[in-house]
Amino acid sequence: MGIFLPITIFFFFALAFKMALAKESAKRKQSFIQMLEEEQESNFTRARDIPHDALIYPNIDFLRNPEFDEYPQDINKTTVEIFEKLKSNILEKSTKTMMKVDSLLTNKGLKEQFGVANLDIIINAEENYYSYIHVLNVYGEMLIKYNMIDQSERVMEHCVYEMKSNVTKSYTILLKVYKKNNFPEKINQLEQYVNKIDTLQDEIELKGKLVNLFNSQK
């Protein structure tokens, strides 16, 4: 009896553990099946028209103004050619379809919202947006380097306020411009703008970084 009781208890717990494991395995299997079914359903979601206000249409006409063709005398020909290529690149990229997508949306979420047929269009539009922001940052920074501060200000204000960049560098370049021009009121305006960011998840993360940046400048 002394040996039988521990063995019985052992088998009881072993059986209970096996049943719990089987139950958990069944739950996981059901969850996996449900996930597959939802993914399949999203694949059959009809294409929907992408709302016009979800797309971004840059207005970069100011880049054709004469001040963007006037370079300091000490700039060599090679540098001027780089400037011209960057400017042409920006103008060319500005004609492409652009979109900024919530980083929390999965492919499944995008399919459900816009239809599977539009998934590639959405992904390409988002890539176009970030490519455009990147070249604006490069151009704006180079303008500062060669003391074309007013031109850089116009480019970076377009990048931040009109394109609503969610890339930290855009804001740091614009802040640098305002400091060089000694525009405390514009620095204050930029800080207020940052404090109002409360939409997409990646913008909320951006806001935290920028608030720290402004605090470190005080």
Side-chain angles (χ1 to χ4, degrees):
M1 184 71 178
I3 297 174
F4 181 73
L5 183 60
I7 292 174
T8 303
I9 293 171
F10 170 78
F11 278 111
F12 173 78
F13 280 110
L15 181 63
F17 177 74
K18 186 176 180 181
M19 288 175 64
L21 199 62
K23 186 177 179 182
E24 182 63 27
S25 178
K27 279 171 62 180
R28 288 186 181 181
K29 183 179 178 182
Q30 184 60 36
S31 176
F32 181 67
I33 291 171
Q34 185 180 353
M35 183 183 73
L36 287 178
E37 287 175 348
E38 288 175 354
E39 184 66 25
Q40 269 191 322
E41 278 180 28
S42 70
N43 284 335
F44 289 106
T45 304
R46 284 187 177 186
R48 299 184 177 92
D49 289 337
I50 300 173
H52 186 271
D53 59 0
L55 299 173
I56 301 170
Y57 303 92
N59 181 359
I60 198 73
D61 288 344
F62 67 84
L63 210 56
R64 296 184 174 91
N65 293 344
E67 60 264 31
F68 286 93
D69 295 319
E70 298 167 359
Y71 301 101
Q73 290 183 349
D74 58 343
I75 290 183
N76 61 43
K77 184 180 177 182
T78 303
T79 304
V80 170
E81 287 174 357
I82 294 171
F83 268 118
E84 290 300 314
K85 283 180 182 177
L86 277 171
K87 189 166 61 173
S88 296
N89 196 4
I90 291 169
L91 290 168
E92 189 263 330
K93 287 180 183 296
S94 71
T95 63
K96 295 183 178 180
T97 302
M98 295 186 204
M99 191 173 183
K100 189 163 62 168
V101 180
D102 190 335
S103 62
L104 293 182
L105 273 179
T106 60
N107 278 0
K108 174 178 170 291
L110 289 172
K111 290 173 189 175
E112 289 175 344
Q113 189 168 344
F114 300 106
V116 66
N118 282 328
L119 185 60
D120 284 344
I121 296 172
I122 301 296
I123 292 171
N124 287 335
E126 185 180 33
E127 287 175 354
N128 290 340
Y129 171 79
Y130 282 106
S131 177
Y132 183 67
I133 294 297
H134 172 71
V135 74
L136 287 174
N137 286 343
V138 171
Y139 188 55
E141 202 164 36
M142 191 170 173
L143 287 167
I144 293 176
K145 182 179 178 180
Y146 289 94
N147 208 33
M148 298 173 71
I149 308 300
D150 292 342
Q151 292 91 329
S152 181
E153 180 181 344
R154 182 66 188 92
V155 169
M156 298 317 300
E157 284 184 342
H158 165 71
C159 186
V160 168
Y161 294 123
E162 295 170 27
M163 294 304 297
K164 302 188 184 304
S165 170
N166 49 13
V167 177
T168 309
K169 192 169 186 179
S170 306
Y171 295 79
T172 57
I173 296 171
L174 184 55
L175 181 59
K176 189 175 181 179
V177 168
Y178 288 158
K179 284 185 171 182
K180 281 186 172 292
N181 272 341
N182 193 22
F183 286 150
E185 68 281 2
K186 288 192 174 183
I187 294 174
N188 185 54
Q189 176 189 337
L190 181 61
E191 185 174 10
Q192 288 179 8
Y193 177 79
V194 166
N195 285 326
K196 290 177 182 176
I197 293 175
D198 61 355
T199 50
L200 305 184
Q201 181 63 29
D202 51 353
E203 289 177 331
I204 294 171
E205 293 170 5
L206 169 75
K207 177 179 178 178
K209 293 177 183 176
L210 293 173
V211 166
N212 290 337
L213 173 66
F214 279 109
N215 288 338
S216 70
Q217 304 294 318
K218 294 175 181 177

